[in-house]
Amino acid sequence: MEKALVGIIMGSDSDLPTLKEAAEVLEQFNVPFEINVYSAHRSPHKTQEYIMSAKTRGLKVIIAAAGGAAHLAGVAAAHTTLPVIGVPVMSKSLDGLDSLLSTVQMPPGIPVATVAINGAKNAGILAIQILALSDETLSQKLEEFKKGLESSVMKKNEKLASLGYKNYLEKSQ
Ligand code: RP5
């Protein structure tokens, strides 16, 4: 098995349905990763150990996700110089606004690159973009990925032009 380059950590297994999108995009780009549950609050010592050993174990990027009082990404960033991407997970009481603010509002000196609430797919893509800085094959794959996005937009325009907006809406329902 290839050595993981990206470490995905989440505060609870209840975050996994959200985080699977990060794992899927890393798989799509053949980027080796590891995925674990580590809580900033429920397992602080194990979380610290994991983060502090991440760089020497060969990880290049950390994706850290949590919901509610979402301190995991910030705690991770406090313990490593690896880039940390934070994913605020949608919470039950405040629709993820609590998670977003807890993840994004870091003090100067300890950045967390925070994606949207439940933005796990973008977290995966951002991790790939970081890795692609020193990996030409990955960089080419990203170019192809972006071309794919562009052509899917243009296909929508072709469909819109041929069907008209009313039929387009009916066919999309
Ligand atoms: C956070 O609390 C986790 O990241 C999760 O989003 C939230 C709820 O955790 P569980 O009670 O479902 O384990 O620490």
Side-chain angles (χ1 to χ4, degrees):
M1 216 169 80
E2 270 187 286
K3 244 168 89 173
L5 296 176
V6 179
I8 302 176
I9 53 173
M10 58 204 144
S12 170
D13 58 353
S14 64
D15 300 323
L16 187 53
T18 303
L19 267 295
K20 82 173 174 32
E21 290 190 18
E24 283 166 354
V25 78
L26 292 169
E27 277 170 354
Q28 188 189 328
F29 280 82
N30 286 321
V31 171
F33 66 94
E34 56 188 33
I35 182 161
N36 291 287
V37 176
Y38 280 105
S39 168
H41 307 123
R42 292 168 176 158
S43 65
H45 304 297
K46 293 288 179 193
T47 300
Q48 185 177 351
E49 276 171 26
Y50 176 85
I51 294 298
M52 291 187 76
S53 66
K55 200 170 181 177
T56 49
R57 288 186 301 104
L59 294 183
K60 304 286 184 213
V61 186
I62 304 284
I63 294 174
H71 300 134
L72 184 60
V75 165
H79 286 107
T80 183
T81 55
L82 292 176
V84 175
I85 301 169
V87 184
V89 175
M90 180 75 81
S91 56
K92 286 181 195 136
S93 356
L94 295 168
D95 288 341
L97 187 58
D98 45 354
S99 322
L100 173 63
L101 297 179
S102 310
T103 304
V104 78
Q105 288 292 74
M106 289 297 292
I110 313 290
V112 167
T114 305
V115 295
I117 296 168
N118 280 358
K121 183 172 184 179
N122 268 359
I125 294 168
L126 184 54
I128 293 162
Q129 289 180 326
I130 292 168
L131 295 171
L133 289 171
S134 55
D135 183 331
E136 192 45 41
T137 311
L138 213 46
S139 182
Q140 288 295 327
K141 282 189 194 170
L142 277 169
E143 293 291 346
E144 283 160 30
F145 172 74
K146 296 253 175 183
K147 278 186 197 145
L149 292 179
E150 185 178 66
S151 74
S152 76
V153 170
M154 298 325 286
K155 274 188 192 132
K156 285 175 187 173
N157 278 336
E158 283 166 24
K159 193 174 154 192
L160 193 50
S162 77
L163 293 178
Y165 80 91
K166 285 181 185 156
N167 283 334
Y168 188 102
L169 278 173
E170 271 171 29
K171 300 237 171 190
S172 349
Q173 278 162 9

